[in-house]
Amino acid sequence: MSDISRIRVFTTGGTFDKEYNELTGELFFQRTHLLDMLRLGRCHLDLAVENLMMVDSLEMSDRGRELIAERCQQAEENRIVITHGTDTMDRTAAVLGPRFKHKTIVLTGAMVPYTFGSSDGLFNLGTALAFAQTLAPGVYVAMNGQCFQWDEVRKNRELGIFESLRKS
């Protein structure tokens, strides 16, 4: 039996973990910044962190999404946060949503890399951890201080925000 207060965190890369090569101007992956972010945020939650992959979400394959689903299924914890690239976060949420009615899974990411200093990643991570502790079982996307059901969200590329598909 697992400790019900522990939250499993899976990292998958995305803008969250990108770094900038000052010589070439390219963005690349070296390692996850999650532990640095948790330290900076003075997080004292009981977390089990696991890096699944380091990819740009535009390059995430169906196999990558299946790996995420498999690890969510295998996780002892009932509360899971997944850091993910924003470009296809909704596609991964759509793979997980129909499968997970018994766990609370929150996907989050960043529009600006953590290493840039002006990133929204730290804020999004904090809200995702809070939502994971308080929401009923289901799959959600936490971005911009808001939480969306997995099947009611899209990334508005013109405005650079996530928004609800629900008509008000």
Side-chain angles (χ1 to χ4, degrees):
M1 192 80 185
S2 69
D3 179 353
I4 60 170
S5 66
R6 176 175 285 153
I7 300 172
R8 172 70 56 171
V9 181
F10 292 121
T11 61
T12 67
T15 301
F16 219 79
D17 285 320
K18 285 187 176 176
E19 298 201 36
Y20 179 70
N21 182 323
E22 295 175 10
L23 300 178
T24 65
E26 296 174 332
L27 294 173
F28 68 99
F29 295 106
Q30 184 170 337
R31 62 178 180 83
T32 183
H33 300 293
L34 183 75
L35 297 177
D36 296 334
M37 295 169 80
L38 293 168
R39 259 190 306 281
L40 183 62
R42 299 174 54 90
C43 180
H44 295 284
L45 296 173
D46 183 10
L47 304 176
V49 177
E50 181 179 342
N51 182 42
L52 296 183
M53 62 192 80
M54 295 295 278
V55 299
D56 185 297
S57 69
L58 289 173
E59 297 174 6
M60 185 175 290
S61 66
D62 290 341
R63 178 66 196 118
R65 288 183 178 81
E66 283 303 315
L67 173 64
I68 294 169
E70 289 168 15
R71 292 301 298 127
C72 286
Q73 185 64 44
Q74 295 165 356
E76 291 181 6
E77 297 81 7
N78 289 322
R79 300 187 181 279
I80 299 170
V81 170
I82 302 168
T83 65
H84 196 289
T86 60
D87 286 314
T88 65
M89 187 184 302
D90 57 342
R91 286 176 50 195
T92 300
V95 168
L96 301 174
R99 299 182 191 188
F100 291 96
K101 311 284 189 221
H102 61 289
K103 292 186 179 194
T104 303
I105 300 175
V106 182
L107 291 92
T108 194
M111 303 299 270
V112 177
Y114 168 73
T115 56
F116 281 27
S118 60
S119 177
D120 55 331
L122 190 60
F123 178 74
N124 291 337
L125 177 61
T127 58
L129 289 167
F131 286 132
Q133 293 175 79
T134 57
L135 290 173
V139 176
Y140 307 90
V141 170
M143 290 291 295
N144 316 115
Q146 296 181 286
C147 191
F148 306 94
Q149 297 272 349
W150 68 270
D151 57 349
E152 297 177 355
V153 65
R154 77 177 184 107
K155 180 179 178 180
N156 181 324
R157 284 168 172 68
E158 290 79 41
L159 298 177
I161 62 169
F162 279 73
E163 61 189 12
S164 177
L165 292 174
R166 259 200 264 171
K167 304 295 181 215
S168 319

